[in-house]
Amino acid sequence: ETPWANVLLLFHLLIINQNMIILKQTDLNSFLWTIRRDPPSYFYGTIHVPYTRVWDFIPENSKQAFQESNIVYFELDLTDPYTISALTSCQLLPQGENLQDVLPRDIYRRLKRHLEYVKLMMPSWMTPDQRGKGLYADYLFNAIAGNWERKRPVWVMLMVNSLTEADIKTRGVPVLDLYLAQEAERMRKRTGAVEKVEEQCHPLNGLNFSQVIFALNQTLLQQESLRAGSLQVPYTTEDLIRHYNCGDLNSIIFNQDTSQVPNFNNVTLPPSEQVTAQEIDSYFRRELIYKRNERMGKRVKALLEEHPDKSFFFAFGAGWC
Ligand SMILES: *[C@@H]1O[C@H](CO)[C@@H](O)[C@H](O)[C@H]1NC(C)=O
Ligand SMILES: *[C@@H]1O[C@H](CO)[C@@H](O)[C@H](O)[C@H]1NC(C)=O
Ligand SMILES: *[C@@H]1O[C@H](CO)[C@@H](O)[C@H](O)[C@H]1NC(C)=O
């Protein structure tokens, strides 16, 4: 029952090939697992936060494993412009459709109002450091939300979730997984990806309309309460960074809130809505964790068998995204 994709992936690998012995390294704050073979290969659990916030806490053995490996694999190849454009277009509504045509009027109106609020607040959310780097609020808002009227509701919901003060403050520095990809490229390592964009994108698009409207409504209700000051921020990126730096795997595994898919199970809901919340939760688990792990596990296994003489470094995120 863990939302932490990679841990499950390791279990899958163990099941797929019982001869493969995987060992977690003993360093307290290590997210490195060694696959014992000659030369060894590695799994590394990355995190989607600015690398500068975690880099100094990453143990030397993890950095060394990265340096010594021949081939580095990521979930997706984020340095490939095709990946980015495919992700962008997968998130769009069919040609000619707009959110205004698709969403119930009340939801559309609240969404619009919330985004106007975010746009207004953005300059005050940004840090002097971000301004020093030439990152402007207008630019950032447009980069994240510019095309919101054309996005599918499920992606707008995720976007709204990431447009918080805490998340905005982390923008402008490459996240750890992207940084590792850039480093791998700089070191001229061979790189690859175990997933296709569609495999990450389509399961989210497969949530049905009433489920998506429910999720968007809950997300907006949460943001509206935050704005009104009647709700504390349920989790912050800061908590996630702290747990990661302490090597606190349990918090990352068991804290549902660290997944980027919002969890609506703990809000007080009437029974009929609880059913919907649970259905969404199990849909995400099935599509984004179990099925994905199995698929990724099989590809990892195939790669390892195909290249027994190479040292692989698999860098997979501590979430689905
Ligand atoms: C969406 O899926 C849920 C759960 O599978 C189902 O109960 C509901 O009827 C579906 N709604 C629509 C509009 O298809
Ligand atoms: C949004 O959620 C609230 C509270 O659960 C509910 O009363 C309201 O009808 C929902 N609105 C829509 C448009 O689904
Ligand atoms: C659920 O909400 C309650 C009250 O806000 C909180 O004390 C509790 O820690 C939450 N549980 C989880 C699992 O997030």
Side-chain angles (χ1 to χ4, degrees):
E1 288 297 290
T2 121
W4 205 58
N6 310 306
V7 174
L8 272 172
L9 188 138
L10 296 177
F11 293 153
H12 277 298
L13 279 172
L14 282 169
I15 293 162
I16 290 167
N17 183 352
Q18 287 171 354
N19 294 327
M20 192 183 284
I21 299 165
I22 298 169
L23 185 80
K24 182 179 183 333
Q25 304 231 313
T26 51
D27 284 43
L28 179 65
N29 54 344
S30 172
F31 289 110
L32 184 74
W33 284 263
T34 306
I35 302 165
R36 277 204 209 133
R37 54 184 217 154
D38 190 20
S41 286
Y42 305 94
F43 278 108
Y44 184 71
T46 63
I47 185 174
H48 216 64
V49 303
Y51 80 94
T52 46
R53 299 294 312 279
V54 293
W55 190 254
D56 290 346
F57 296 87
I58 295 176
E60 211 42 56
N61 66 346
S62 302
K63 293 177 182 169
Q64 197 175 346
F66 177 72
Q67 296 214 327
E68 286 172 3
S69 58
N70 314 111
I71 309 180
V72 185
Y73 263 78
F74 299 93
E75 289 172 16
L76 292 177
D77 184 356
L78 294 174
T79 60
D80 181 354
Y82 168 79
T83 307
I84 308 301
S85 70
L87 268 175
T88 307
S89 57
C90 191
Q91 297 177 2
L92 293 182
L93 285 166
Q95 197 96 47
E97 276 184 30
N98 266 301
L99 269 184
Q100 191 163 11
D101 317 323
V102 174
L103 293 180
R105 193 179 308 164
D106 165 66
I107 300 263
Y108 177 79
R109 197 177 40 77
R110 284 161 55 210
L111 173 64
K112 197 167 155 81
R113 193 192 306 149
H114 181 67
L115 291 175
E116 280 161 7
Y117 162 82
V118 168
K119 192 168 184 174
L120 191 72
M121 294 305 286
M122 203 103 131
S124 68
W125 288 351
M126 294 184 67
T127 63
D129 221 37
Q130 287 174 315
R131 285 191 289 272
K133 289 205 185 83
L135 198 60
Y136 293 103
D138 271 358
Y139 168 82
L140 193 55
F141 182 83
N142 280 328
I144 303 170
N147 202 20
W148 69 271
E149 301 236 26
R150 287 278 300 119
K151 278 187 201 268
R152 290 173 187 270
V154 70
W155 295 98
V156 162
M157 179 216 34
L158 295 174
M159 183 192 86
V160 167
N161 260 298
S162 70
L163 278 170
T164 58
E165 177 167 5
D167 276 16
I168 291 302
K169 286 190 189 322
T170 69
R171 296 286 181 141
V173 175
V175 290
L176 179 62
D177 34 354
L178 178 58
Y179 178 72
L180 287 176
Q182 290 169 343
E183 282 294 287
E185 213 165 63
R186 194 179 60 76
M187 294 169 167
R188 303 197 183 285
K189 290 180 186 297
R190 253 177 70 193
T191 60
V194 291
E195 284 196 293
K196 298 193 179 71
V197 168
E198 300 71 36
E199 289 167 342
Q200 275 205 3
C201 188
H202 286 174
L204 279 153
N205 291 347
L207 213 56
N208 81 23
F209 186 70
S210 46
Q211 291 169 326
V212 173
I213 296 303
F214 171 83
L216 183 55
N217 186 24
Q218 292 301 322
T219 300
L220 286 170
L221 287 171
Q222 189 178 53
Q223 295 301 320
E224 287 156 357
S225 314
L226 284 171
R227 257 157 59 192
S230 58
L231 178 73
Q232 293 289 307
V233 183
Y235 99 93
T236 67
T237 306
E238 290 304 315
D239 296 331
L240 182 58
I241 291 172
R242 199 180 62 246
H243 289 311
Y244 190 81
N245 285 343
C246 295
D248 190 352
L249 187 61
N250 285 340
S251 308
I252 294 186
I253 294 174
F254 295 110
N255 185 349
Q256 307 266 323
D257 296 338
T258 56
S259 148
Q260 291 189 26
V261 176
N263 174 19
F264 306 113
N265 276 341
N266 198 31
V267 284
T268 327
L269 293 169
S272 69
E273 298 194 339
Q274 267 170 27
V275 172
T276 308
Q278 266 155 23
E279 277 168 2
I280 294 176
D281 190 58
S282 42
Y283 177 84
F284 280 150
R285 270 169 203 277
R286 195 171 59 242
E287 295 295 325
L288 300 175
I289 301 176
Y290 301 119
K291 283 194 186 168
R292 214 173 141 220
N293 277 330
E294 204 168 322
R295 202 165 57 217
M296 286 165 78
K298 282 184 181 146
R299 290 191 188 150
V300 164
K301 178 173 177 277
L303 281 165
L304 289 169
E305 283 173 358
E306 207 177 314
H307 306 280
D309 55 331
K310 293 280 193 271
S311 175
F312 283 86
F313 189 91
F314 296 99
F316 295 155
W320 57 271
C321 189

